[in-house]
Amino acid sequence: MILIAESGSTKTDWRLVHPNGEISSYSTIGFNPYYISETGVLEALKNSELTTINTTVKQVFFYGAGCSTAENCLMLSNTLELFFNNASIEVSNDMLAAARATCGTGKGMVAILGTGSNSCLYDGNSISENVTSLGYLLGDYGSGAAIGKTFISAYLEKELPQEISEAFTEAYQLSTSDILNAVYKQALPNRFLAGFNLFVAQHINEPVIKQIVENSLEAFFEKNICKYSAYQQNKLHLVGSISFVYENIIIQTAKKYNVEIGEIIKAPIDALVKYHLK
């Protein structure tokens, strides 16, 4: 049996391909090695439904956010081997997952816009160019964390219209201390910040809210997409919740930079299954 996983910073989607072709779905938290330890990964796996199939899986193809260095890939590979102890393990980064899911064996630019953001130029087989993703503190332009950070800063600094601030206060019941504690003292602040996109998306027709999203996406194009060679000659394919939720704004922003948009999919996991079955 083959197990395919696509992991972001927030969650991991798993698909088990049975010998008869049937597919089972599983879900766990995200396993970004920058934000979780070996112990945390193993504990999450042992507390998941994957315990029902961990000894019968023969191959695991794991694609993950944060798997951009040999050290991080090795950490996850070793941890997964402890749990799936009868399987061969292959760990790759989430950019390759996005490229294979949207381009298959074709060429194109590919971007991930989810909790974090990343991008690459794909030659149909491997990643040929990659603008470094610096994480939510130094980069992640256009990501859920970046949009959430700008929004919550505007809220705390009382730069939002009164009706928007009141609606947010009523919906979330968060004090300034709660927010600062979550950002500076608690684990996974990027996931906390990205969570505000639910509210942002619900109020996207408010000019001040829409401007926050537009500014972040413009920064993404300028800091990432426009740095690729011949970027206007390649279609841009996107995956991730943010690209899916703000699809219309992304398309309009792309036009400003003469970039043609190709595929936009919320999650690449099912397309990855098709890729591996081919």
Side-chain angles (χ1 to χ4, degrees):
M1 292 195 293
I2 300 173
L3 185 63
I4 302 165
E6 192 278 318
S7 180
S9 295
T10 301
K11 69 170 184 173
T12 304
D13 289 321
W14 304 78
R15 296 291 185 272
L16 178 69
V17 182
H18 297 266
N20 62 3
E22 291 185 6
I23 297 173
S24 300
S25 300
Y26 302 88
S27 181
T28 64
I29 62 170
F31 294 152
N32 187 326
Y34 284 111
Y35 306 127
I36 192 169
S37 66
E38 297 96 324
T39 302
V41 172
L42 204 54
E43 183 178 336
L45 289 171
K46 289 179 178 178
N47 290 326
S48 74
E49 293 182 347
L50 292 169
T51 54
T52 61
I53 52 96
N54 66 308
T55 60
T56 56
V57 172
K58 299 304 179 184
Q59 285 183 293
V60 176
F61 295 96
F62 184 95
Y63 299 88
C67 296
S68 53
T69 68
E71 182 181 3
N72 284 352
C73 287
L74 183 60
M75 182 277 272
L76 272 177
S77 180
N78 289 341
T79 307
L80 292 171
E81 283 180 0
L82 291 175
F83 185 74
F84 300 104
N85 49 29
N86 292 318
S88 62
I89 310 293
E90 181 179 310
V91 176
S92 303
N93 64 50
D94 56 347
M95 277 311 319
L96 186 60
R100 287 177 170 176
T102 56
C103 297
T105 56
K107 299 179 180 180
M109 289 186 299
V110 184
I112 297 171
L113 291 177
T115 301
S117 69
N118 204 345
S119 61
C120 76
L121 191 62
Y122 182 67
D123 64 9
N125 180 58
S126 59
I127 294 171
S128 56
E129 290 183 44
N130 176 237
V131 175
T132 303
S133 176
L134 300 175
Y136 81 101
L137 285 177
L138 299 177
D140 269 356
Y141 306 102
S143 70
I147 293 169
K149 181 168 64 173
T150 303
F151 167 79
I152 203 64
S153 293
Y155 169 75
L156 293 174
E157 293 168 356
K158 303 188 185 305
E159 295 176 348
L160 299 176
Q162 182 177 347
E163 62 273 18
I164 296 295
S165 292
E166 290 176 351
F168 179 81
T169 301
E170 182 177 351
Y172 286 81
Q173 298 292 311
L174 291 171
S175 67
T176 300
S177 294
D178 292 334
I179 295 169
L180 295 179
N181 184 64
V183 171
Y184 292 109
K185 294 184 178 181
Q186 300 301 314
L188 302 174
N190 60 329
R191 190 184 301 177
F192 171 77
L193 293 168
F196 296 129
N197 280 272
L198 176 62
F199 182 89
V200 171
Q202 290 172 341
H203 296 82
I204 196 62
N205 291 325
E206 296 289 340
V208 67
I209 298 294
K210 188 175 183 181
Q211 192 65 58
I212 288 173
V213 176
E214 288 176 341
N215 289 347
S216 190
L217 290 170
E218 286 178 3
F220 169 72
F221 273 83
E222 292 172 6
K223 299 284 190 178
N224 290 270
I225 301 307
C226 294
K227 292 184 177 180
Y228 290 108
S229 58
Y231 71 92
Q232 293 176 330
Q233 280 71 57
N234 289 280
K235 284 186 178 181
L236 173 62
H237 308 277
L238 300 105
V239 304
S241 56
I242 294 301
S243 59
F244 187 78
V245 169
Y246 302 124
E247 178 177 352
N248 292 335
I249 298 178
I250 289 171
I251 292 172
Q252 291 302 314
T253 304
K255 289 180 180 178
K256 295 181 181 180
Y257 299 92
N258 295 316
V259 173
E260 184 180 357
I261 298 296
E263 295 282 337
I264 296 181
I265 58 176
K266 187 174 183 180
I269 185 64
D270 293 321
L272 276 175
V273 171
K274 293 179 182 178
Y275 175 87
H276 280 284
L277 290 180
K278 287 181 181 179

